[in-house]
Amino acid sequence: MGRWRDGHGELVVGEVRVPLEIATSYRARTKGLLGRDAVEGALLLSPASSVHTFRMRFPIDVAYLDRRLRVVAVHTMKPGRLGLPRLRSRHVVEAGAGVMEAWGMRVGVRVEVAAE
């Protein structure tokens, strides 16, 4: 798996490949999706065990991943919410509300991150 840096890559969920923005620095993780009207593909926050949607403009799907990139929880969050920390979560993937189900992102699924 290695260490990622801020940048871009692909999220692989089974046969599905999704454009991925990677945010690993404090600054990039703090900014996240704030100020955006949508997200193209998904955003990986690492390390992260919780997220919030304060000052966000749209609802998002949030997947919490453990250190082996296995999904431990998936939730849809409306703007203005605070997500509870997940004990085993080391990474969080955010995407537009409703898309993760279509990707097959569910508890127990292991995903891959291909960084550019």
Side-chain angles (χ1 to χ4, degrees), residues 11-20 39-43 61 63 93-106 109 111:
L11 176 69
V12 182
V13 186
E15 300 295 315
V16 178
R17 299 179 87 80
V18 178
L20 183 67
V39 57
E40 174 105 16
L43 171 66
D61 281 351
V93 176
E94 298 178 341
V99 300
M100 287 189 181
E101 186 176 351
W103 297 344
M105 195 90 135
R106 61 182 61 82
V109 169
V111 302

Side-chain angles (χ1 to χ4, degrees), residues 4-114:
W4 303 303
R5 294 202 146 136
D6 290 350
H8 297 275
E10 265 189 332
L11 176 69
V12 182
V13 186
E15 300 295 315
V16 178
R17 299 179 87 80
V18 178
L20 183 67
E21 186 177 334
I22 301 170
T24 59
S25 69
Y26 176 79
R27 183 181 195 125
R29 290 191 326 264
T30 302
K31 185 171 187 325
L33 297 175
L34 295 178
R36 301 190 199 184
D37 293 319
V39 57
E40 174 105 16
L43 171 66
L44 171 71
L45 304 170
S46 178
S49 62
S50 68
V51 296
H52 70 82
T53 57
F54 299 120
R55 297 181 15 232
M56 287 193 60
R57 299 177 182 167
F58 58 97
I60 59 171
D61 281 351
V62 178
Y64 298 87
L65 310 177
D66 67 13
R67 63 177 38 118
R68 293 193 169 98
L69 302 184
R70 192 168 304 279
V71 178
V72 296
V74 180
H75 295 284
T76 300
M77 293 177 65
K78 294 178 182 174
R81 301 291 196 271
L82 177 63
L84 295 174
R86 305 286 169 202
L87 285 177
R88 295 187 346 254
S89 177
R90 295 294 177 264
H91 319 283
V92 174
V93 176
E94 298 178 341
V99 300
M100 287 189 181
E101 186 176 351
W103 297 344
M105 195 90 135
R106 61 182 61 82
V107 173
V109 169
R110 189 172 184 281
V111 302
E112 294 177 44
V113 173

